[in-house]
Amino acid sequence: MNSNRNDKTLAGVLAENADTLKAFEGLPAEAVEDLASALTRVEVPEGGVLIRQGDTAEAMYIVEKGLLRAAIARKGSAPAAVGLMGPGSLIGEIALLTGSRRNATVTAVEPSRLARLEAAELKEIMDRHPGLKRGFLEIARRRLRRSRWLKILSDYFGEIDEENCSFIESCFSWVHLDRGRTLFSEGDESDGLYILVHGFLHITAREPSGAVRVVGSVYRGEIVGEMAILSGEKRTATVSAVRDCDLVRLTKDDFLEINKAYPEFSLTIMRTLVKRLQESGRTGGREHGLNIALLAASPRTPLAEFAHRLYSALIPLGKTVLLNSRVLGAEFSTAADMAQTPDHDPRHVDLVAWLEDREAGHDFILYEADAELTPWTKRCLKQADQVLIVARAGDDPAPGSIEGEGLRLTEGFAATPQTLILIHPDGRTPPSDTQAWLTPRRLAGHHHLRWNKEADFERLARLVSRRAVGLVLGGGGARGMAHLGVIRALEERGIPIDLVAGTSIGAIVGGAYARGADADRLMFLCRETFEKNNPFSDVTVPVVSLLRSRKIERAARRVYGETRIEDLWTGFFCISCNLGSCDVNIHRNGPLWKAVRTSSSLPGIMVPVIHGGKVHVDGGVMNNLPGDIMRREAGIVITVDVDARENMTAGFPEYPSPWKILWSRIWPWANPVPVPTVAEIMMATIMTGCRKCADAVKEGADLSLEPPVGGIGILDFKAIARTAKEAYDYTQDMIDRLSETSPLRPFLRPKS
């Protein structure tokens, strides 16, 4: 790396450095003149290292020619590339301005020439020009924003030449949104689409009851309000900032301008938007960055070790950094207390710029809070897209002072989602009394974690990063024994099941799996319950139902015991139909046996279940394959539809009399009249009513399975082993056919 000083007149220096000095646009002219005079030239050969991660910042650079790559070293894995820098790019200015260490190693991809500004020279210039540092940091932040924006553009539209890129940039306008402010409200006239460049947004909608419910989130790099371009309709939801946000807006008029100048590119935009809409339900959206705050529920919580283990589990999923007050103390060698800088401190802008620089280069930022409510703890909570409250399961479930006071900072209309993580020493004792932890808190969810199981940390990493695998098991009576074969195949091929949901027979199998039963145990339980004990044999006077359902209830209590849904190791929910409100009821807490029994209460066949004075029946009446609900929680969704889709036909012009049918079945020498039974007619009616919904769910699934269940009757549980084996073989074949781009591919193990 060679360097030489320019000794010329000021006018000559300014003329020679005209292109380079564009990087300082917006700074006072006198300061720019001093900066120009202080520049030296540096030549870096291909493969040469300009700066190294962890070094003290001694200079900043402006690329004049060539291309350089920044990469971050990660413990236990290869360095992660975080960006390319070409002519006009600034390198290392934030570390130099804030006094922190280099956060990446920068290497020349091709022979490169750069302008260099020494730390000592910059300090002298800033001493002569008060306020210059703030201006420099603002330039750095604008550079970071634009770099992120161009990366998002390339993600959506591929490589764009410089001319088109400049024109497209001019059509978008920047919008800043402070935390808690509203981008647009339900019912507003559309003013264009937005792309979130930095920050985190909540989407809320008002229900008929008047209650406001969070219906979605917008992460960095995602589009919101795109229907303004496609249809011009009024806004159907309210979008608010969970934390400070930067967005770019494209109005309909600007879209038309793009269309006039570049009709082919405009068509590309339209195709991309339509494709995004079509795929929005398939893979949980684009991969995007997340800020995750870690808050200890009590001083006894081993938060530091928890943070390190979660950090290690997130690394395979994306570029991850763990930040805490100790890390900042080491990074800012000249200001060990930088982490505790309050908002009114002059160094606040330094810290904000440094944190934004870290966010720009990483997919996941873990903000580990202090044990007290320090300025750093407050900053962690304000920076967060989600908060993990970490607690030991055996501790006092009441919120402690730091939790109560700290989380009040995130309250409001756009409150940061909070998830409770309950740590257990091991899996020998199942979770219990979780409801005592949930009741005093407003949580988006909770997860149980076994401290001695690395797989639980890997599951948590997938859950918080929206890459969790959710398994959805549909209803279909005895045909649901195919679920056993599907689960066995998924287990053998290494595909994790992080969340499970089901309706009717799917709830029965899914509930047992979530409680801890593996494929072998599931087979044993189903054969004991349905083959040996036949819970469908307690026929009664058909006033309310054909079956008394007492044997079914006893079987459910025997299989699930007193376990509650919120105490399961694996997240679970099931569906029932609330006849009182004519709506779907999602069971996420309460006794597992009762939820499963409710979800499988075939109307007319089994006695309905009463919840809160309302009559509930089989969830298949309204949603037989709840993959749409699972999609809100899981990034990857597998659906298993056991609806045989067989056409119900009759070989006679009209129904025979009931006596003729009965006689044909009890007289040993008579041929049975082939008519559908009451149970088959009722089940077929349920299935028919929700098939369109199920078809839409399967279309949006990452893996849609339809095991061969034709010819199996609704209550025909005589061939459990055969049904499961055929489903197992079918699932193995479907796994082998997964596309190379399937999000399930990284999990796969070869067949045993």
Side-chain angles (χ1 to χ4, degrees):
M1 193 164 69
N2 301 316
S3 172
N4 64 287
R5 182 76 182 217
N6 286 323
D7 295 318
K8 297 185 178 180
T9 63
L10 177 59
V13 169
L14 292 174
E16 183 173 314
N17 293 285
D19 290 337
T20 303
L21 295 177
K22 289 179 182 178
F24 302 140
E25 190 173 351
L27 297 179
E30 299 84 356
V32 173
E33 292 175 0
D34 285 353
L35 291 167
S37 299
L39 294 176
T40 60
R41 292 297 180 276
V42 171
E43 302 283 343
V44 185
E46 181 179 345
V49 176
L50 178 68
I51 58 179
R52 292 187 185 279
Q53 183 175 340
D55 285 353
T56 301
E58 298 177 347
M60 60 172 286
Y61 302 88
I62 307 164
V63 182
E64 294 184 334
K65 178 184 176 183
L67 187 67
L68 299 100
R69 176 185 290 111
I72 296 175
R74 301 182 297 175
K75 186 177 180 180
S77 58
V82 294
L84 292 172
M85 292 148 291
S89 299
L90 288 169
I91 297 177
E93 76 283 11
I94 290 181
L96 186 64
L97 292 165
T98 60
S100 58
R101 297 184 183 277
R102 303 294 193 188
N103 75 316
T105 297
V106 177
T107 308
V109 177
E110 58 188 51
S112 302
R113 185 181 72 241
L114 305 95
R116 174 183 169 106
L117 181 61
E118 299 282 349
E121 298 268 17
L122 179 59
K123 184 180 184 305
E124 289 180 8
I125 295 171
M126 288 194 297
D127 289 342
R128 292 197 297 269
H129 300 279
L132 181 60
K133 181 177 181 179
R134 183 174 292 272
F136 244 126
L137 287 171
E138 185 55 39
I139 287 174
R141 293 175 70 183
R142 287 202 305 267
R143 187 261 302 175
L144 286 173
R145 287 196 316 171
R146 183 173 183 271
S147 177
R148 293 177 192 162
W149 168 221
L150 294 179
K151 174 66 166 58
I152 292 167
L153 268 182
S154 65
D155 287 345
Y156 276 110
F157 305 115
E159 292 299 321
I160 310 171
D161 62 52
E162 189 173 340
E163 182 180 356
N164 279 335
C165 186
S166 297
F167 176 74
I168 293 165
E169 275 195 275
S170 69
C171 291
F172 284 84
S173 57
W174 283 93
V175 176
H176 178 77
L177 198 63
D178 290 330
R179 180 186 177 277
R181 300 296 297 272
T182 298
L183 182 64
F184 53 75
S185 299
E186 191 172 351
D188 285 354
E189 296 291 338
S190 298
D191 61 348
L193 66 79
Y194 297 82
I195 300 177
L196 183 61
V197 178
H198 171 77
F200 180 54
L201 299 165
H202 261 171
I203 305 173
T204 57
R206 191 171 295 278
E207 297 180 333
S209 63
V212 175
R213 182 170 65 92
V214 176
V215 296
S217 301
V218 183
Y219 298 84
R220 298 198 295 266
E222 289 190 334
I223 293 176
V224 63
E226 63 274 1
M227 292 308 296
I229 293 292
L230 300 177
S231 68
E233 296 176 356
K234 290 185 177 182
R235 302 296 190 186
T236 58
T238 297
V239 177
S240 306
V242 176
R243 60 189 178 94
D244 291 353
C245 297
D246 291 307
L247 308 96
V248 288
R249 179 177 65 193
L250 179 66
T251 67
K252 196 162 188 176
D253 289 341
D254 287 325
F255 174 76
L256 294 175
E257 286 298 314
I258 294 178
N259 190 44
K260 289 178 185 177
Y262 297 95
E264 291 185 2
F265 192 81
S266 177
L267 184 61
T268 299
I269 291 177
M270 290 294 293
R271 285 173 176 166
T272 301
L273 291 177
V274 171
K275 184 178 180 182
R276 294 292 176 192
L277 287 172
Q278 291 174 337
E279 294 183 347
S280 61
R282 185 166 294 126
T283 59
R286 303 171 60 253
E287 292 185 1
H288 36 245
L290 282 171
N291 290 0
I292 305 167
L294 309 178
L295 183 70
S298 82
R300 294 182 296 277
T301 303
L303 189 65
E305 187 176 352
F306 172 88
H308 179 74
R309 294 180 70 179
L310 180 57
Y311 162 77
S312 298
L314 279 168
I315 282 177
L317 303 180
K319 295 183 286 290
T320 306
V321 64
L322 171 60
L323 301 179
N324 52 44
S325 52
R326 301 181 302 280
V327 168
L328 266 71
E331 288 286 339
F332 292 89
S333 55
T334 59
D337 64 339
M338 180 63 86
Q340 308 305 340
T341 302
D343 290 354
H344 61 268
D345 191 292
R347 296 176 300 171
H348 167 73
V349 67
D350 296 23
L351 183 54
V352 169
W354 186 86
L355 292 175
E356 288 192 10
D357 188 40
R358 292 305 180 273
E359 286 187 26
H362 294 87
D363 301 306
F364 307 112
I365 311 286
L366 289 179
Y367 284 94
E368 179 193 336
D370 292 332
E372 292 94 29
L373 192 60
T374 61
W376 172 249
T377 295
K378 294 178 180 179
R379 190 174 298 280
C380 289
L381 296 173
K382 289 179 180 179
Q383 292 286 123
D385 299 331
Q386 58 178 292
V387 178
L388 302 188
I389 303 169
V390 186
R392 300 192 311 174
D395 287 350
D396 183 351
S401 59
I402 182 175
E403 186 182 342
E405 293 175 28
L407 292 177
R408 273 197 289 274
L409 298 169
T410 69
E411 288 179 351
F413 187 68
T416 308
Q418 300 162 24
T419 300
L420 176 68
I421 310 300
L422 285 173
I423 298 173
H424 302 260
D426 50 47
R428 289 180 294 180
T429 302
S432 63
D433 204 23
T434 305
Q435 193 60 41
W437 289 88
L438 306 182
T439 300
R441 296 170 172 85
R442 296 180 61 184
L443 298 170
H446 74 280
H447 305 295
H448 295 282
L449 182 144
R450 288 158 287 200
W451 194 252
N452 66 336
K453 290 195 68 172
E454 210 59 43
D456 278 17
F457 280 91
E458 293 169 358
R459 169 183 291 178
L460 180 60
R462 292 191 294 271
L463 287 164
V464 300
S465 65
R466 297 178 76 237
R467 286 147 168 90
V469 180
L471 177 65
V472 182
L473 306 176
R479 297 162 182 163
M481 294 300 97
H483 295 321
L484 309 183
V486 170
I487 289 172
R488 183 182 296 278
L490 295 177
E491 284 184 343
E492 288 185 6
R493 299 302 295 275
I495 296 176
I497 301 173
D498 301 314
L499 300 164
V500 63
T503 299
S504 196
I505 190 68
I508 292 173
V509 175
Y513 179 82
R515 192 168 181 260
D518 60 10
D520 290 334
R521 179 65 178 167
L522 286 174
M523 177 63 73
F524 172 80
L525 289 173
C526 287
R527 299 193 76 166
E528 283 287 313
T529 302
F530 297 110
E531 279 188 350
K532 293 186 178 180
N533 297 312
N534 187 13
F536 302 105
S537 61
D538 57 345
V539 179
T540 187
V541 178
V543 177
V544 175
S545 62
L546 297 178
L547 303 178
R548 297 176 70 188
S549 304
R550 290 184 180 178
K551 291 184 69 174
I552 295 169
E553 187 167 310
R554 284 198 298 269
R557 286 180 177 273
R558 185 172 61 251
V559 170
Y560 306 110
E562 297 304 314
T563 302
R564 295 176 62 89
I565 295 175
E566 60 268 27
D567 294 330
L568 295 171
W569 290 117
T570 302
F572 170 77
F573 68 84
C574 61
I575 302 298
S576 69
C577 173
N578 184 338
L579 296 181
S581 62
C582 300
D583 200 2
V584 167
N585 194 48
I586 306 173
H587 298 266
R588 297 184 184 274
N589 52 33
L592 177 59
W593 76 264
K594 189 172 184 180
V596 168
R597 161 77 175 85
T598 306
S599 181
S600 56
S601 298
L602 297 170
I605 300 174
M606 299 179 194
V607 176
V609 180
I610 308 298
H611 282 272
K614 301 291 178 65
V615 177
H616 289 68
V617 296
D618 194 295
V621 172
M622 299 192 74
N623 191 339
N624 198 48
L625 195 65
D628 52 334
I629 301 171
M630 177 64 81
R631 177 61 73 187
R632 302 171 196 167
E633 305 172 31
I636 304 170
V637 174
I638 302 172
T639 59
V640 188
D641 185 9
V642 290
D643 178 3
R645 305 284 175 120
E646 295 172 331
N647 295 322
M648 187 170 285
T649 58
F652 38 81
E654 61 182 28
Y655 258 83
S657 72
W659 298 110
K660 183 176 181 180
I661 297 172
L662 181 61
W663 180 255
S664 75
R665 293 182 178 177
I666 63 175
W667 185 248
W669 294 281
N671 292 322
V673 177
V675 296
T677 65
V678 173
E680 289 170 337
I681 293 173
M682 288 181 174
M683 180 60 84
T685 303
I686 291 173
M687 295 294 202
T688 301
C690 57
R691 276 177 180 165
K692 286 187 178 180
C693 176
D695 287 341
V697 166
K698 290 189 291 185
E699 181 66 25
D702 298 284
L703 176 59
S704 175
L705 300 174
E706 300 177 33
V709 292
I712 300 173
I714 298 299
L715 302 179
D716 181 12
F717 287 93
K718 298 176 182 177
I720 292 178
R722 178 173 58 83
T723 303
K725 178 61 168 63
E726 291 177 355
Y728 168 86
D729 293 338
Y730 162 84
T731 304
Q732 288 279 13
D733 183 56
M734 291 295 290
I735 291 173
D736 288 337
R737 296 186 184 188
L738 285 172
S739 70
E740 292 301 319
T741 59
S742 169
L744 292 168
R745 273 282 172 192
F747 300 113
L748 292 193
R749 292 197 297 255
K751 288 181 182 178
S752 55

